Amino acid sequence: MKIAIVIPNTTMTETAMAERRAFLEANAAPDVELVLWRNDAGPASIETEAERDEAGTRILRNLLNRDLGDIDGVIPWCAADPGLLALRQALSIPVAGPLACACHAASLSGERFGLVMPAGSRKLNRLRVESYGFGAKLTSVRQVDTPVLELRADFDLTLQRLTEEVNLAAQEGADSVVLGCMALFGLAPRIQAAIPVIDPALAALNMVTAMVRMGLSNPIRN
């Protein structure tokens, strides 16, 4: 099985990409091969709806310019799920949006869940979760006051802020919390909380793997 991960952040370094590859490979099944492709144009990070739209278009162009004959599934590396519907319309293989997959995982781990995101629009992220059919299960959208590109600059500070927001979400009635940014990959187990914290990178990886094994796809033709 071969899964393609498309990085929309054009300024992501080779070292940063290698860190993400190592994390995913450490959590992938033995028969899963991963390829990482980075967009050569578009936003440096995705924090606005305009950047999300541009990144989605660039991801689609990136994939359509490649031979996908040996690719079994695709993950756009962003928890805003850029280009998700367009990718599903254009491709005949499973496309796993990290936020959508994380919401599905959260819905299976309890009755209600919270979303914790970096600096950005809480309203638009709530609308996105609602569009996936999980509005009634979403307790709140909370955020840490840190831009995407700075989240991994100070792990201790980021973990402190995440822990505070996750525990506040728990007090609001969340049975689990979804992390709303792929820059937070690998941090979920390090957050001290009484409820599960769901890593969207792992949710997408496991969901797309399961879809391929089950022979499922999600194209939108009409």
Side-chain angles (χ1 to χ4, degrees):
M1 183 190 308
K2 195 170 186 178
I3 305 299
I5 294 95
V6 185
I7 308 288
N9 313 76
T10 54
T11 58
M12 187 177 291
T13 66
E14 294 296 329
T15 298
M17 289 180 63
E19 291 173 349
R20 285 149 178 79
R21 176 192 291 277
F23 171 75
L24 291 170
E25 289 179 341
N27 288 279
D31 64 334
V32 173
E33 179 184 355
L34 302 172
V35 293
L36 274 70
W37 296 324
R38 181 181 56 208
N39 282 355
D40 59 7
S45 64
I46 299 172
E47 299 182 68
T48 67
E49 206 65 9
E51 289 167 340
R52 176 180 182 268
D53 289 346
E54 182 182 3
T57 299
R58 297 290 183 179
I59 291 170
L60 179 60
R61 289 177 179 171
N62 191 334
L63 289 167
L64 293 181
N65 286 330
R66 297 179 183 272
D67 180 1
L68 302 180
D70 62 343
I71 301 298
D72 298 296
V74 169
I75 300 172
W77 186 263
C78 176
D81 294 352
L84 184 59
L85 295 182
L87 292 168
R88 288 178 171 176
Q89 186 177 50
L91 306 178
S92 60
I93 55 179
V95 180
L99 177 61
C101 292
C103 288
H104 279 283
S107 73
L108 297 174
S109 65
E111 293 301 317
R112 306 189 72 196
F113 65 90
L115 174 66
V116 175
M117 54 175 280
S121 173
R122 286 183 287 183
K123 180 180 292 185
L124 288 175
N125 277 275
R126 176 177 286 278
L127 290 173
R128 202 163 355 265
V129 172
E130 290 175 352
S131 75
Y132 295 151
F134 294 108
K137 289 181 173 288
L138 184 63
T139 57
S140 63
V141 179
R142 308 193 64 85
Q143 65 183 162
V144 296
D145 189 21
T146 307
V148 171
L149 295 179
E150 297 177 16
L151 285 169
R152 301 186 80 83
D154 187 336
F155 277 113
D156 290 339
L157 180 59
T158 295
L159 284 169
Q160 176 188 331
R161 290 175 173 174
L162 288 173
T163 299
E164 291 170 356
E165 297 302 326
V166 168
N167 283 300
L168 286 172
Q171 292 175 22
E172 293 168 337
D175 299 312
S176 64
V177 164
V178 168
L179 296 181
C181 183
M182 301 295 269
L184 302 175
F185 74 92
L187 297 187
R190 299 170 60 181
I191 297 172
Q192 300 298 313
I195 57 175
V197 179
I198 297 170
D199 186 327
L202 293 183
L205 176 63
N206 285 291
M207 190 73 74
V208 76
T209 300
M211 292 181 69
V212 173
R213 295 197 195 287
M214 295 172 69
L216 302 177
S217 188
N218 48 21
I220 301 171
R221 297 304 183 199
N222 298 307

